[in-house]
């Protein structure tokens, strides 16, 4: 692809992206129908080369995650009801094979993240922001646990919770506030399959956010600025006491919507967004606790 600014790679809406050190996967909803499509990409030298768009399923608002072993999970909402479905897959020899689509639970607006065999899902149910934990038990089988209440209820139309979990079981969650987005740090208690909150939330004037957490403790929050269609990235560093030290936001693009961001375990970072039903990706590197976007 080369080291360039945001590059168009397809058509669609509400994209979600995830990556490991060798592959990236992007999933999105069709701009015309309630169908879910995905791209599999190859990661090299800080950039992603996307493969062809492939249809996966019917549904809306999909989210996707990949771990270091090439295990993939996508979660989406039914196009007709407030029910979440999931599908797991495996990348072998550069090819992604999917298992069957499986009903999970009642809910909307899924956001999924993985680290090793651990799976973390954020979603909304009747205005309640929820988290559900699970793990990969083999190639295409996932063991899920009970829902966990997260934050106070919000109007169903506005409620959301977006999650990112790292290899040390620290997680970052972005959730609804009347002024935009609250960002909270917590820890997964894997032995109990529960969570604990480690910090008071930070508030940002962002809509439709996405979060990413690097193994170094570096955090990226990407979203649409309130009262603007600019996509900005706010960066922070998590210290040993689970406090976030925030930097000033940086504009990524004007006129974008529904952005998503992801780190590899090394230094590659990718952001995707929609603009006028077209999909774009921006690539960069994490250097000295700063994202260097390719221009």
């Amino acid at each position: 692809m080369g080291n360039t600014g945001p590059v168009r790679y397809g058509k669609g809406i509400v994209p979600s992206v995830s990556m490991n050190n060798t592959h990236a996967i992007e999933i999105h909803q069709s701009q015309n129908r309630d169908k879910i499509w995905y791209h599999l990409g190859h990661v090299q030298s800080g950039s992603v080369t996307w493969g062809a768009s492939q249809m996966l399923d019917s549904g809306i608002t999909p989210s996707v995650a990949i771990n270091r072993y090439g295990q993939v999970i996508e979660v989406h909402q039914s196009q007709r009801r407030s029910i979440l479905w999931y599908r797991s897959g495996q990348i072998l020899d550069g090819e992604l094979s999917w298992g069957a689509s499986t009903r999970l639970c009642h809910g909307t607006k899924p956001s999924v993240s993985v680290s090793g065999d651990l799976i973390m899902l954020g979603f909304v149910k009747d205005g309640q922001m929820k988290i559900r934990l699970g793990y990969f038990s083999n190639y295409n089988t996932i063991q899920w646990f009970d829902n966990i209440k997260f934050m106070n209820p919000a109007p169903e139309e506005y409620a959301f919770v977006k999650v990112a979990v790292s290899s040390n079981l620290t997680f970052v969650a972005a959730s609804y506030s009347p002024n935009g987005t609250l960002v909270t740090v917590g820890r997964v208690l894997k032995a109990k399959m529960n969570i604990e909150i480690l910090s008071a939330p930070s508030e940002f004037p962002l809509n439709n956010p996405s979060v990413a957490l690097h193994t170094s403790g570096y955090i990226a929050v990407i979203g649409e600025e309130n009262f603007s269609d600019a996509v900005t990235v706010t960066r922070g560093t998590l210290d040993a006491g689970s406090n976030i030290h925030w930097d000033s936001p940086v504009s990524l693009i004007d006129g974008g919507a529904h952005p998503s961001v992801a780190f590899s375990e090394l230094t590659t970072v990718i952001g995707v967004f929609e603009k006028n039903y077209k999909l774009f990706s921006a690539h960069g590197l994490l250097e000295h606790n700063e994202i260097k976007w390719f221009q």
Side-chain angles (χ1 to χ4, degrees), residues 198-231:
L198 300 178
S199 72
S202 304
E203 189 169 49
F204 297 95
L206 295 174
N207 295 318
N208 294 319
S210 170
V211 291
L213 177 60
H214 192 260
T215 53
S216 66
Y218 190 86
I219 300 167
V221 182
I222 190 170
E224 306 163 21
E225 288 186 344
N226 285 2
F227 312 111
S228 167
D229 59 359
V231 172

Short mmCIF file of all heavy atoms in Angstrom, two decimals, residues 198-231:
data_model
loop_
_atom_site.label_atom_id
_atom_site.label_comp_id
_atom_site.label_asym_id
_atom_site.label_seq_id
_atom_site.Cartn_x
_atom_site.Cartn_y
_atom_site.Cartn_z
N LEU A 198 -10.61 0.16 38.01
CA LEU A 198 -9.37 0.63 38.63
C LEU A 198 -9.25 2.15 38.67
O LEU A 198 -8.40 2.67 39.39
CB LEU A 198 -8.17 0.06 37.88
CG LEU A 198 -8.06 -1.46 37.84
CD1 LEU A 198 -6.84 -1.86 37.02
CD2 LEU A 198 -7.96 -2.04 39.25
N SER A 199 -10.04 2.86 37.89
CA SER A 199 -9.87 4.31 37.83
C SER A 199 -11.21 5.00 37.68
O SER A 199 -12.17 4.43 37.18
CB SER A 199 -8.96 4.69 36.65
OG SER A 199 -9.65 4.52 35.42
N ALA A 200 -11.25 6.26 38.12
CA ALA A 200 -12.41 7.10 37.83
C ALA A 200 -12.42 7.40 36.34
O ALA A 200 -11.37 7.52 35.71
CB ALA A 200 -12.34 8.39 38.64
N PRO A 201 -13.59 7.51 35.73
CA PRO A 201 -13.64 7.73 34.28
C PRO A 201 -13.17 9.12 33.88
O PRO A 201 -13.32 10.09 34.63
CB PRO A 201 -15.13 7.53 33.94
CG PRO A 201 -15.85 7.79 35.22
CD PRO A 201 -14.94 7.35 36.31
N SER A 202 -12.58 9.20 32.69
CA SER A 202 -12.25 10.47 32.05
C SER A 202 -13.31 10.74 30.99
O SER A 202 -13.79 9.82 30.33
CB SER A 202 -10.87 10.41 31.39
OG SER A 202 -9.87 10.05 32.32
N GLU A 203 -13.67 12.01 30.81
CA GLU A 203 -14.75 12.35 29.88
C GLU A 203 -14.21 13.12 28.68
O GLU A 203 -13.35 14.00 28.83
CB GLU A 203 -15.81 13.18 30.58
CG GLU A 203 -17.07 13.39 29.75
CD GLU A 203 -18.20 14.00 30.58
OE1 GLU A 203 -17.94 15.01 31.26
OE2 GLU A 203 -19.32 13.47 30.53
N PHE A 204 -14.71 12.77 27.48
CA PHE A 204 -14.28 13.41 26.25
C PHE A 204 -15.51 13.76 25.41
O PHE A 204 -16.48 13.01 25.38
CB PHE A 204 -13.38 12.48 25.44
CG PHE A 204 -12.10 12.12 26.14
CD1 PHE A 204 -12.01 10.95 26.88
CD2 PHE A 204 -11.01 12.96 26.10
CE1 PHE A 204 -10.85 10.63 27.53
CE2 PHE A 204 -9.84 12.65 26.75
CZ PHE A 204 -9.75 11.48 27.47
N PRO A 205 -15.44 14.89 24.68
CA PRO A 205 -16.57 15.30 23.82
C PRO A 205 -16.52 14.56 22.48
O PRO A 205 -16.32 15.15 21.42
CB PRO A 205 -16.33 16.80 23.65
CG PRO A 205 -14.84 16.95 23.71
CD PRO A 205 -14.38 15.92 24.71
N LEU A 206 -16.74 13.24 22.53
CA LEU A 206 -16.66 12.41 21.34
C LEU A 206 -17.92 11.58 21.18
O LEU A 206 -18.50 11.12 22.16
CB LEU A 206 -15.46 11.45 21.42
CG LEU A 206 -14.06 12.06 21.42
CD1 LEU A 206 -13.03 10.97 21.67
CD2 LEU A 206 -13.78 12.79 20.12
N ASN A 207 -18.31 11.38 19.93
CA ASN A 207 -19.40 10.47 19.59
C ASN A 207 -18.84 9.27 18.84
O ASN A 207 -17.78 9.34 18.22
CB ASN A 207 -20.43 11.18 18.71
CG ASN A 207 -21.13 12.31 19.45
OD1 ASN A 207 -21.49 12.17 20.61
ND2 ASN A 207 -21.31 13.44 18.77
N ASN A 208 -19.59 8.17 18.88
CA ASN A 208 -19.22 6.94 18.16
C ASN A 208 -17.74 6.59 18.34
O ASN A 208 -17.00 6.44 17.36
CB ASN A 208 -19.54 7.11 16.66
CG ASN A 208 -21.02 7.24 16.40
OD1 ASN A 208 -21.83 6.54 17.00
ND2 ASN A 208 -21.39 8.16 15.52
N PRO A 209 -17.29 6.42 19.58
CA PRO A 209 -15.87 6.19 19.81
C PRO A 209 -15.46 4.73 19.61
O PRO A 209 -16.29 3.82 19.55
CB PRO A 209 -15.69 6.58 21.27
CG PRO A 209 -17.00 6.15 21.89
CD PRO A 209 -18.05 6.46 20.84
N SER A 210 -14.16 4.53 19.54
CA SER A 210 -13.54 3.22 19.58
C SER A 210 -12.29 3.36 20.43
O SER A 210 -11.68 4.44 20.49
CB SER A 210 -13.18 2.75 18.16
OG SER A 210 -12.36 1.59 18.19
N VAL A 211 -11.89 2.27 21.11
CA VAL A 211 -10.71 2.31 21.96
C VAL A 211 -9.76 1.18 21.58
O VAL A 211 -10.19 0.11 21.12
CB VAL A 211 -11.06 2.21 23.46
CG1 VAL A 211 -11.76 3.47 23.92
CG2 VAL A 211 -11.90 0.98 23.75
N ALA A 212 -8.47 1.43 21.79
CA ALA A 212 -7.46 0.40 21.61
C ALA A 212 -6.45 0.53 22.74
O ALA A 212 -6.16 1.63 23.20
CB ALA A 212 -6.75 0.55 20.26
N LEU A 213 -5.93 -0.62 23.19
CA LEU A 213 -4.98 -0.66 24.30
C LEU A 213 -3.79 -1.50 23.89
O LEU A 213 -3.92 -2.69 23.63
CB LEU A 213 -5.66 -1.25 25.54
CG LEU A 213 -4.81 -1.42 26.80
CD1 LEU A 213 -4.23 -0.09 27.27
CD2 LEU A 213 -5.63 -2.07 27.91
N HIS A 214 -2.62 -0.86 23.85
CA HIS A 214 -1.39 -1.56 23.49
C HIS A 214 -0.82 -2.28 24.71
O HIS A 214 -1.11 -1.91 25.86
CB HIS A 214 -0.36 -0.56 22.95
CG HIS A 214 0.83 -1.18 22.30
ND1 HIS A 214 2.04 -1.31 22.95
CD2 HIS A 214 1.00 -1.73 21.07
CE1 HIS A 214 2.90 -1.89 22.15
NE2 HIS A 214 2.31 -2.17 21.00
N THR A 215 -0.02 -3.31 24.49
CA THR A 215 0.56 -4.06 25.59
C THR A 215 1.46 -3.19 26.47
O THR A 215 1.70 -3.52 27.63
CB THR A 215 1.36 -5.26 25.07
OG1 THR A 215 2.31 -4.79 24.09
CG2 THR A 215 0.44 -6.28 24.42
N SER A 216 1.96 -2.07 25.93
CA SER A 216 2.81 -1.16 26.69
C SER A 216 2.03 -0.28 27.65
O SER A 216 2.61 0.42 28.48
CB SER A 216 3.60 -0.27 25.73
OG SER A 216 2.72 0.60 25.02
N GLY A 217 0.68 -0.30 27.55
CA GLY A 217 -0.15 0.59 28.35
C GLY A 217 -0.58 1.84 27.61
O GLY A 217 -1.25 2.71 28.18
N TYR A 218 -0.24 1.95 26.35
CA TYR A 218 -0.63 3.10 25.53
C TYR A 218 -2.08 2.93 25.08
O TYR A 218 -2.48 1.85 24.64
CB TYR A 218 0.30 3.22 24.32
CG TYR A 218 0.14 4.50 23.56
CD1 TYR A 218 0.84 5.64 23.93
CD2 TYR A 218 -0.72 4.59 22.47
CE1 TYR A 218 0.70 6.83 23.22
CE2 TYR A 218 -0.86 5.76 21.76
CZ TYR A 218 -0.15 6.88 22.14
OH TYR A 218 -0.30 8.05 21.44
N ILE A 219 -2.86 3.99 25.19
CA ILE A 219 -4.29 3.97 24.88
C ILE A 219 -4.57 4.92 23.73
O ILE A 219 -4.03 6.03 23.68
CB ILE A 219 -5.13 4.39 26.10
CG1 ILE A 219 -4.88 3.44 27.28
CG2 ILE A 219 -6.62 4.44 25.76
CD1 ILE A 219 -5.43 3.96 28.60
N ALA A 220 -5.43 4.49 22.82
CA ALA A 220 -5.93 5.38 21.78
C ALA A 220 -7.45 5.38 21.84
O ALA A 220 -8.08 4.32 21.91
CB ALA A 220 -5.47 4.94 20.40
N VAL A 221 -8.04 6.58 21.86
CA VAL A 221 -9.49 6.74 21.80
C VAL A 221 -9.79 7.54 20.53
O VAL A 221 -9.34 8.68 20.39
CB VAL A 221 -10.03 7.50 23.03
CG1 VAL A 221 -11.55 7.60 22.95
CG2 VAL A 221 -9.61 6.81 24.31
N ILE A 222 -10.49 6.94 19.61
CA ILE A 222 -10.81 7.59 18.35
C ILE A 222 -12.31 7.81 18.28
O ILE A 222 -13.09 6.97 18.73
CB ILE A 222 -10.31 6.74 17.16
CG1 ILE A 222 -10.40 7.50 15.85
CG2 ILE A 222 -11.03 5.42 17.07
CD1 ILE A 222 -9.70 6.80 14.68
N GLY A 223 -12.73 8.95 17.77
CA GLY A 223 -14.16 9.23 17.71
C GLY A 223 -14.45 10.49 16.92
O GLY A 223 -13.54 11.19 16.46
N GLU A 224 -15.75 10.77 16.75
CA GLU A 224 -16.20 11.97 16.07
C GLU A 224 -16.31 13.09 17.11
O GLU A 224 -16.93 12.91 18.15
CB GLU A 224 -17.56 11.75 15.43
CG GLU A 224 -17.64 10.57 14.49
CD GLU A 224 -19.08 10.17 14.22
OE1 GLU A 224 -19.99 11.02 14.42
OE2 GLU A 224 -19.32 9.02 13.84
N GLU A 225 -15.72 14.24 16.80
CA GLU A 225 -15.85 15.37 17.71
C GLU A 225 -17.31 15.81 17.79
O GLU A 225 -18.03 15.83 16.79
CB GLU A 225 -15.01 16.55 17.23
CG GLU A 225 -13.51 16.38 17.39
CD GLU A 225 -12.77 17.63 17.02
OE1 GLU A 225 -13.36 18.52 16.36
OE2 GLU A 225 -11.59 17.74 17.40
N ASN A 226 -17.75 16.15 19.00
CA ASN A 226 -19.10 16.70 19.15
C ASN A 226 -19.25 17.96 18.31
O ASN A 226 -18.35 18.79 18.26
CB ASN A 226 -19.37 17.03 20.62
CG ASN A 226 -19.62 15.80 21.45
OD1 ASN A 226 -19.57 14.68 20.96
ND2 ASN A 226 -19.89 15.99 22.74
N PHE A 227 -20.41 18.09 17.66
CA PHE A 227 -20.74 19.26 16.84
C PHE A 227 -19.78 19.42 15.67
O PHE A 227 -19.56 20.51 15.15
CB PHE A 227 -20.76 20.54 17.69
CG PHE A 227 -21.53 20.40 18.95
CD1 PHE A 227 -20.89 20.40 20.18
CD2 PHE A 227 -22.91 20.22 18.94
CE1 PHE A 227 -21.60 20.27 21.37
CE2 PHE A 227 -23.63 20.08 20.11
CZ PHE A 227 -22.97 20.10 21.33
N SER A 228 -19.18 18.33 15.23
CA SER A 228 -18.23 18.37 14.12
C SER A 228 -18.23 17.00 13.47
O SER A 228 -18.62 16.01 14.06
CB SER A 228 -16.82 18.72 14.60
OG SER A 228 -15.86 18.48 13.60
N ASP A 229 -17.78 16.95 12.20
CA ASP A 229 -17.63 15.65 11.55
C ASP A 229 -16.16 15.27 11.43
O ASP A 229 -15.81 14.41 10.63
CB ASP A 229 -18.31 15.63 10.17
CG ASP A 229 -17.76 16.69 9.23
OD1 ASP A 229 -16.86 17.46 9.64
OD2 ASP A 229 -18.22 16.73 8.07
N ALA A 230 -15.30 15.90 12.22
CA ALA A 230 -13.88 15.54 12.22
C ALA A 230 -13.65 14.30 13.09
O ALA A 230 -14.25 14.16 14.15
CB ALA A 230 -13.03 16.70 12.73
N VAL A 231 -12.78 13.42 12.63
CA VAL A 231 -12.37 12.25 13.40
C VAL A 231 -11.07 12.59 14.10
O VAL A 231 -10.09 12.98 13.47
CB VAL A 231 -12.19 11.02 12.50
CG1 VAL A 231 -11.57 9.87 13.27
CG2 VAL A 231 -13.53 10.59 11.91
#
